[in-house]
Amino acid sequence: ITIFKKKKKFLRIVVSFSTFNKMISSNIATVFAPNLLRPKNEDITETVLDTNNVAAIMHSMIDDFEFLFKVFFFFFLSPLL
């Protein structure tokens, strides 16, 4: 999660310059999703068919990271404390 937090900060900086670079969060999700969210068993047909779903998940992870991290912490890490 720490690595993704750092990547998310970087990606948010890129998005903040979207008027210049045209990289809104959905475009970034489309570019990064196949590399960050890949299945263990890579089947090219499944990968192509799942591209839109994986990009949508990545888009949510970029735009809603703070909320998602709070939910993750509350449900998965707080019981361990």
Side-chain angles (χ1 to χ4, degrees), residues 9-40:
K9 282 183 181 181
F10 170 73
L11 297 176
R12 296 294 285 171
I13 292 169
V14 174
V15 169
S16 72
F17 289 98
S18 64
T19 55
F20 303 105
N21 62 22
K22 309 298 184 218
M23 292 303 285
I24 59 176
S25 57
S26 60
N27 291 347
I28 288 179
T30 301
V31 171
F32 281 92
N35 297 306
L36 296 177
L37 302 174
R38 36 179 9 153
K40 287 184 180 181

Side-chain angles (χ1 to χ4, degrees), residues 4 7-8 11-12 25-38 50-65 68:
F4 190 77
K7 284 185 191 274
K8 182 236 154 214
L11 297 176
R12 296 294 285 171
S25 57
S26 60
N27 291 347
I28 288 179
T30 301
V31 171
F32 281 92
N35 297 306
L36 296 177
L37 302 174
R38 36 179 9 153
D50 288 341
T51 299
N52 289 337
N53 295 330
V54 172
I57 292 168
M58 187 71 188
H59 184 245
S60 293
M61 290 174 78
I62 293 169
D63 286 350
D64 303 322
F65 182 79
L68 294 171

